[in-house]
Amino acid sequence: MCDGLYHDASDPSTGTRPKAISYIDAFLGGPAEQNKTKAIAASPITYVSKDDPPFLIIHGENDFMVPASQGELLAVSLKAAGVEMTLEVTPRGHSVGLGDPRLLPIVKAFSDKYLKKSQ
């Protein structure tokens, strides 16, 4: 995902700002192309397994730091592993915020389904 994130951040068609590349480079200790092993180790997709708990992924479509495609890639990996997941892509940016009234029913439904004690 970190390597893919670097690719997305480098692609002018994604509209992701070059600032994202500097964040990735700083996180990895250098460019992703030169730190592929670190990029793979930093990617949550590397660790997806069928034993993972359910995931709720909320991602801003206009996130300039982490392209929405990264949340989608995680969702695809989780689904392929048989992990229950919910992906919601909102029109917002990086700070999606759970205060968004449109998200509250999604968070509540997920919480009720997976976190609420059965009676």
Side-chain angles (χ1 to χ4, degrees), residues 71-119:
E72 293 162 357
L73 285 171
L74 178 57
V76 167
S77 294
L78 290 164
K79 194 171 189 175
V83 176
E84 292 191 48
M85 50 73 52
T86 301
L87 171 65
E88 183 66 29
V89 178
T90 75
R92 305 213 27 204
H94 187 71
S95 298
V96 171
L98 294 179
D100 183 336
R102 191 178 77 78
L103 297 176
L104 293 176
I106 295 165
V107 172
K108 182 178 181 338
F110 183 88
S111 298
D112 287 350
K113 183 174 183 178
Y114 297 110
L115 301 176
K116 200 174 194 179
K117 272 187 159 177
S118 54
Q119 310 232 341

Side-chain angles (χ1 to χ4, degrees), residues 1 5 9 15 18 26 31 36 41 43 50 55 59 64 69 72-73 77 83 85 98 101 104 109 111:
M1 195 151 148
L5 174 56
K36 288 211 182 263
S43 172
K50 62 180 174 64
F55 270 68
H59 207 115
F64 66 89
S69 63
E72 293 162 357
L73 285 171
S77 294
V83 176
M85 50 73 52
L98 294 179
L104 293 176
S111 298

Side-chain angles (χ1 to χ4, degrees), residues 4-23:
L5 174 56
Y6 196 90
H7 178 268
D8 283 355
S10 303
D11 182 354
S13 71
T14 64
T16 305
R17 297 182 185 163
K19 187 185 260 188
I21 294 173
S22 67
Y23 294 147

Side-chain angles (χ1 to χ4, degrees), residues 38-53:
K38 286 182 182 178
I40 290 167
S43 172
I45 290 174
T46 301
Y47 307 99
V48 168
S49 77
K50 62 180 174 64
D51 300 324
D52 287 341

